[in-house]
């Protein structure tokens, strides 16, 4: 009997039904925008290494710290709960063998994990820190204290904490202070400021809300990208892997991606069944889509974002000035802002962190887009931080340091790349010249001014689209 025809049929069948475990790749893609774990974005746990600058002593620290991982927001839970029905349909598809020709079936182990997945979040914990988020916040506080033990002391009155009223903020404050003091201080033991209007001006700025925050024009580039054929083909490929003979709705893809992101942030060592439908390039596209939103909503994509972010620059400069322009030690020595991703992104934008060619819905595959400076996964992951540390230096202690005062800028504990500075270390006079005018002219009077002019955002988006066309040609 000639077995060759049967062998050929068997090999073809095997090729068409090959199982691929996308969730256990040797080099998985782990950047999920603002839902990225600090460990993935920072390539490791918080660093306790002391920042030693010869001939200089740290005298004050200004710090912004984003909260750790949290439970889904109230507006996210409906979509995530709907994944239970989607999971049931996927399991049915696999049991019934409902597949178009594809060599990317979800592997058996991933399918088994998906079958065991359940939605268990209690409404009481909506939006609050997870246990991992609490612990990572403590660890980060401890790391900062080990870096700067002379500034982050055991004396609560060496500090001023700024955070807003709210469950997540209160939990973050508790975790951070426990990390610093090794115990929870009393309600009145630590100086604090929780004026929400000054800490979250974007919530109260009607001009920004009208022109940017609640303006559909802000999403133009994201919508353009998601309308591309390659994005639609991505949804088709994901649908095939799930066993559907039709394309699932985009909202289900978004919910799967969101659940995948949360799972990887909650437990960095655990495999998420909701990551299994995505290839590495799928995840890169989904990350880019979020960057197209945050760039225009909080970054350089609108001039109003810089105007709104100036409040953070002013707060930082006022704090540093108080210490640099007085010969005697001032209080507080440490000013700590506990913020969300929106506040941190606006601050980074005001400091010039998002400079470079603007990302657009048309240039995903360009080198400029791949090397973009504005990347929320790296700028504002869970537990992201931004610090400005003031040093006082002796004139003969370090031949590279000219001025008496120097400022070290740190982004996620690493020296921040700033023009005119040496690996994040800037002369105080340079800092005053660079950021002083922003602080001195900072005003939110524009927030409540009536405007009949064409939207700032629409103008910027029009120019961006034009520049994108020139670059692509």
């Amino acid at each position: 009997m000639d077995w060759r025809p049967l062998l050929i049929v068997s090999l073809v069948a095997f090729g068409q039904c090959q199982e691929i475990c996308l969730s256990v790749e040797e080099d998985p893609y782990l950047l999920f925008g603002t839902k990225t774990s600090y460990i993935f974005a920072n390539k490791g746990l918080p660093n306790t290494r002391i920042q030693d600058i010869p001939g200089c002593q740290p005298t004050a620290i200004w710090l912004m710290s984003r909260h750790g991982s949290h439970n889904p927001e109230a507006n996210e839970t409906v979509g995530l709960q709907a994944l239970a029905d989607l999971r049931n349909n996927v399991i049915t598809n696999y049991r019934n063998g409902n597949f178009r020709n594809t060599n990317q079936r979800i592997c058996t182990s991933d399918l088994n994990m998906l079958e065991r997945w359940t939605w268990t979040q209690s409404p009481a914990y909506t939006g609050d820190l997870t246990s991992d988020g609490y612990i990572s916040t403590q660890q980060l506080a401890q790391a900062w204290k080990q870096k700067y033990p002379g500034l982050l002391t055991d004396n609560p009155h060496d500090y001023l904490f700024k955070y807003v009223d709210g469950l997540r903020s209160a939990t973050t404050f508790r975790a951070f202070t426990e990390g610093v003091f090794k115990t929870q201080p009393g309600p009145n033991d630590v100086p604090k400021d929780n004026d929400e209007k000054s800490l979250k001006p974007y919530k109260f700025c009607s001009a920004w809300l009208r022109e940017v925050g609640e303006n559909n024009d802000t999403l133009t580039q994201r919508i353009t990208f998601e309308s591309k054929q390659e994005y639609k083909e991505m949804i088709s490929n994901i649908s095939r892997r799930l066993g559907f003979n039709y394309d699932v709705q985009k909202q289900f893809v978004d919910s799967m991606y969101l659940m995948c992101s949360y799972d990887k942030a909650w437990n960095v060592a655990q495999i998420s069944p909701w990551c299994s439908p995505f290839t590495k390039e799928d995840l890169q596209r989904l990350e880019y889509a979020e960057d197209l939103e945050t760039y225009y909503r909080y970054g350089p994509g609108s001039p109003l974002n810089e105007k709104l972010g100036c409040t953070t620059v002013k707060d930082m400069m006022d704090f540093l000035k108080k210490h640099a322009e007085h010969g005697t030690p001032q209080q507080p020595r440490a000013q700590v802002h506990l913020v969300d991703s929106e506040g941190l992104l606006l601050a980074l934008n005001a400091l010039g962190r998002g400079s470079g060619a603007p990302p657009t819905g048309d240039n995903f595959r360009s080198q400029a887009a791949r090397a973009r400076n504005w990347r929320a996964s790296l700028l504002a992951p869970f537990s992201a931080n931004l610090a400005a540390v003031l040093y006082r230096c002796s004139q003969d202690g370090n031949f590279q340091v000219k001025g008496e005062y120097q400022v070290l800028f740190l982004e996620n504990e690493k020296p921040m790349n700033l023009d005119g500075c040496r690996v994040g270390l800037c002369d105080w006079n340079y800092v005053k010249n660079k950021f002083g005018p922003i602080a001195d002219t900072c005003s939110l009077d524009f927030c409540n001014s009536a405007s009949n002019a064409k939207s700032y955002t629409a103008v910027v988006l029009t120019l961006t689209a034009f520049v994108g066309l020139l670059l692509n040609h």
Side-chain angles (χ1 to χ4, degrees):
M1 179 178 178
D2 189 352
W3 294 95
R4 285 175 294 179
L6 181 59
L7 178 60
I8 292 172
V9 171
S10 298
L11 289 173
V12 171
F14 175 78
Q16 290 178 340
C17 300
Q18 182 180 359
E19 291 185 340
I20 298 177
C21 287
L22 293 175
S23 65
V24 290
E25 286 192 14
E26 291 185 6
D27 182 27
Y29 197 74
L30 298 170
L31 300 180
F32 303 100
T34 56
K35 301 294 190 295
T36 302
S37 167
Y38 190 70
I39 290 178
F40 299 148
N42 209 39
K43 296 182 172 58
L45 292 168
N47 181 7
T48 59
R49 183 175 65 85
I50 296 174
Q51 299 287 344
D52 185 28
I53 300 176
C56 303
Q57 292 295 322
T59 62
I61 180 171
W62 179 94
L63 173 65
M64 291 189 81
S65 185
R66 188 193 173 197
H67 53 77
S69 65
H70 59 81
N71 290 305
E73 308 278 9
N75 63 353
E76 297 172 330
T77 55
V78 173
L80 296 179
Q81 284 175 316
L83 290 178
D85 290 334
L86 180 66
R87 176 211 54 201
N88 294 338
N89 290 334
V90 172
I91 299 303
T92 299
N93 289 341
Y94 272 73
R95 285 176 179 166
N96 294 341
N98 295 341
F99 293 100
R100 288 179 279 181
N101 290 336
T102 176
N103 63 352
Q104 293 191 3
R105 288 181 44 148
I106 296 175
C107 70
T108 303
S109 61
D110 284 353
L111 193 65
N112 291 338
M113 284 194 300
L114 190 63
E115 192 168 15
R116 293 193 298 269
W117 179 84
T118 57
W119 175 260
T120 57
Q121 180 179 306
S122 168
Y125 298 105
T126 297
D128 198 7
L129 294 189
T130 62
S131 57
D132 176 83
Y134 196 95
I135 292 170
S136 63
T137 301
Q138 286 180 316
Q139 290 175 334
L140 187 62
Q142 291 164 0
W144 281 112
K145 187 174 184 180
Q146 291 183 344
K147 281 186 181 70
Y148 295 105
L151 299 180
L152 301 178
T153 70
D154 291 329
N155 180 5
H157 295 283
D158 283 339
Y159 300 82
L160 173 62
F161 283 91
K162 294 191 173 187
Y163 66 99
V164 301
D165 287 328
L167 180 61
R168 185 191 303 164
S169 294
T171 305
T172 302
F173 171 74
R174 189 166 66 250
F176 198 100
T177 51
E178 282 182 4
V180 170
F181 303 120
K182 299 180 182 178
T183 184
Q184 178 57 41
N188 299 315
D189 290 344
V190 181
K192 48 185 175 288
D193 177 358
N194 54 12
D195 179 4
E196 189 171 18
K197 286 189 176 181
S198 64
L199 294 169
K200 288 190 174 186
Y202 51 89
K203 289 183 63 176
F204 304 93
C205 184
S206 58
W208 181 86
L209 289 170
R210 180 179 64 249
E211 302 289 346
V212 182
E214 297 175 355
N215 188 344
N216 288 334
D217 287 342
T218 302
L219 300 176
T220 296
Q221 295 301 324
R222 178 169 188 165
I223 292 171
T224 298
F225 178 58
E226 292 176 345
S227 69
K228 296 292 182 183
Q229 183 61 29
E230 67 172 303
Y231 199 92
K232 294 176 181 178
E233 289 175 357
M234 177 191 75
I235 293 179
S236 295
N237 291 333
I238 292 168
S239 302
R240 290 191 188 100
R241 286 179 214 123
L242 298 175
F244 292 103
N245 292 322
Y246 55 87
D247 289 351
V248 300
Q249 294 179 359
K250 178 183 172 294
Q251 67 192 53
F252 287 114
V253 174
D254 292 340
S255 293
M256 286 189 290
Y257 176 66
L258 184 62
M259 195 71 252
C260 165
S261 306
Y262 273 129
D263 278 344
K264 293 304 296 181
W266 295 340
N267 191 330
V268 296
Q270 182 174 297
I271 297 170
S272 169
W274 290 111
C275 292
S276 60
F278 302 108
T279 66
K280 187 177 295 187
E281 190 165 68
D282 292 342
L283 295 174
Q284 290 172 341
R285 286 193 187 95
L286 292 162
E287 179 199 19
Y288 187 70
E290 181 180 348
D291 285 344
L292 288 175
E293 180 171 344
T294 58
Y295 181 88
Y296 295 95
R297 195 183 296 278
Y298 307 114
S302 170
L304 290 188
N305 294 336
E306 185 174 348
K307 293 181 71 173
L308 200 60
C310 76
T311 56
T312 300
V313 177
K314 176 173 173 54
D315 185 278
M316 177 189 74
M317 290 301 295
D318 288 348
F319 175 78
L320 295 175
K321 271 185 183 179
K322 183 172 70 172
H323 288 272
E325 296 180 357
H326 290 82
T328 57
Q330 302 293 302
Q331 291 287 50
R333 302 188 69 188
Q335 187 162 294
V336 182
H337 295 235
L338 302 176
V339 299
D340 50 22
S341 61
E342 296 91 335
L344 183 61
L345 288 172
L346 285 167
L348 289 168
N349 176 56
L351 292 172
R353 185 61 177 82
S355 61
T360 72
D362 295 312
N363 69 354
F364 169 66
R365 294 194 174 277
S366 70
Q367 182 57 35
R370 297 301 172 100
R372 63 191 182 276
N373 289 327
W374 188 267
R375 199 164 193 166
S377 299
L378 304 180
L379 295 175
F382 287 125
S383 298
N385 48 84
L386 169 67
V389 186
L390 183 69
Y391 286 81
R392 189 172 189 178
C393 307
S394 59
Q395 295 301 303
D396 56 353
N398 187 332
F399 71 93
Q400 291 183 325
V401 173
K402 304 302 181 183
E404 180 181 5
Y405 287 99
Q406 303 287 314
V407 181
L408 178 63
F409 288 90
L410 298 168
E411 180 185 347
N412 294 334
E413 304 178 82
K414 296 180 176 65
M416 191 173 177
N417 184 20
L418 289 171
D419 293 337
C421 302
R422 301 176 302 279
V423 197
L425 187 67
C426 312
D427 185 87
W428 170 238
N429 286 327
Y430 175 82
V431 173
K432 286 194 295 184
N433 291 333
K434 185 176 180 67
F435 299 120
I438 299 175
D440 293 342
T441 60
C442 184
S443 172
L444 297 184
D445 290 344
F446 76 93
C447 282
N448 298 316
S449 62
S451 174
N452 295 319
K454 188 176 181 180
S455 165
Y456 282 116
T457 303
V459 173
V460 172
L461 290 170
T462 301
L463 291 174
T464 298
F466 178 70
V467 171
L469 287 173
L470 292 177
L471 291 174
N472 288 331
H473 289 285

